[in-house]
Amino acid sequence: KFGNYQLALQVADTRGNVVNITSDQFTILPPATVETQVSLVSKYGENVYAPGSYYLSTKTIKLPRGDSFLRHEALINGQKVGEYTGTGHYVNFTEPGQYDVAVRTLTKSGNYGMQTLNVDVRTPPNPVCNVEVKNTTSGVLVTPTCTTEAGYIKSYLWTYMLDGQQKTATSKTFLVSKQWMANNTIGEVTLQVETDLGSKTTQTINYR
């Protein structure tokens, strides 16, 4: 029979000790009678990366005769993460992994439909950089050319030792001045490049 239920179990031992155990409440629904079409829209084509937010597109195809639409519910791994009445809803993934993303559509008469997508959420690819080191009249100019298969390059972080102190810079290029090199006050220089998806690449720069 359809409805809301909770299981109760009583366990007793030979000494007369009794323990009562109850389950979480659960619902048994009638057979699905609502037809929907669901897809997860990614700006990375067929790939889904974490962390990220993606649009769960939903289209109602068929309702029982005489019934009317009430709402959609979005679920991830069985947990409800949102309700909506429009044509879609954004869902978030914070970690890579396998996820069951479902949309449950409810009607005013209590009918429903369910569509589930199996989503493989991946770790975003690291950016790749080719670094050009060029002598100029001012010193050694370091110019990275960086690309990524997903998202875009968000930031450049240069970390370098100068006079024994750690310094940082966030420009797209980095100049090792002639004075630093002549006075031998410049030490190791590293570059960290990060994408909007949080993936990073770090490399040490050979400027001499």
Side-chain angles (χ1 to χ4, degrees), residues 90-168:
Y90 280 95
V91 292
N92 297 306
F93 301 103
T94 58
E95 298 291 339
Q98 297 289 329
Y99 294 88
D100 289 332
V101 180
V103 173
R104 182 165 57 209
T105 302
L106 305 176
T107 72
K108 291 182 179 179
S109 297
N111 294 300
Y112 84 104
M114 180 84 82
Q115 290 289 332
T116 302
L117 304 174
N118 302 117
V119 181
D120 179 16
V121 180
R122 302 180 178 183
T123 301
N126 291 329
V128 176
C129 297
N130 292 318
V131 177
E132 180 187 23
V133 178
K134 184 178 180 180
N135 290 312
T136 70
T137 56
S138 300
V140 177
L141 180 64
V142 184
T143 304
T145 302
C146 303
T147 59
T148 178
E149 294 179 6
Y152 59 88
I153 303 299
K154 183 180 74 172
S155 66
Y156 298 82
L157 176 63
W158 304 88
T159 303
Y160 58 102
M161 297 298 296
L162 186 65
D163 290 324
Q165 300 293 320
Q166 181 173 288
K167 307 286 186 179
T168 59

Side-chain angles (χ1 to χ4, degrees), residues 6 12 39 41 46-47 53 60 85 99 150 154 159 168 180 185 188 199:
Q6 186 178 39
S39 61
V41 181
E46 297 182 354
N47 295 318
S53 180
T60 302
T85 57
Y99 294 88
K154 183 180 74 172
T159 303
T168 59
W180 292 349
T185 56
E188 184 178 78
S199 58

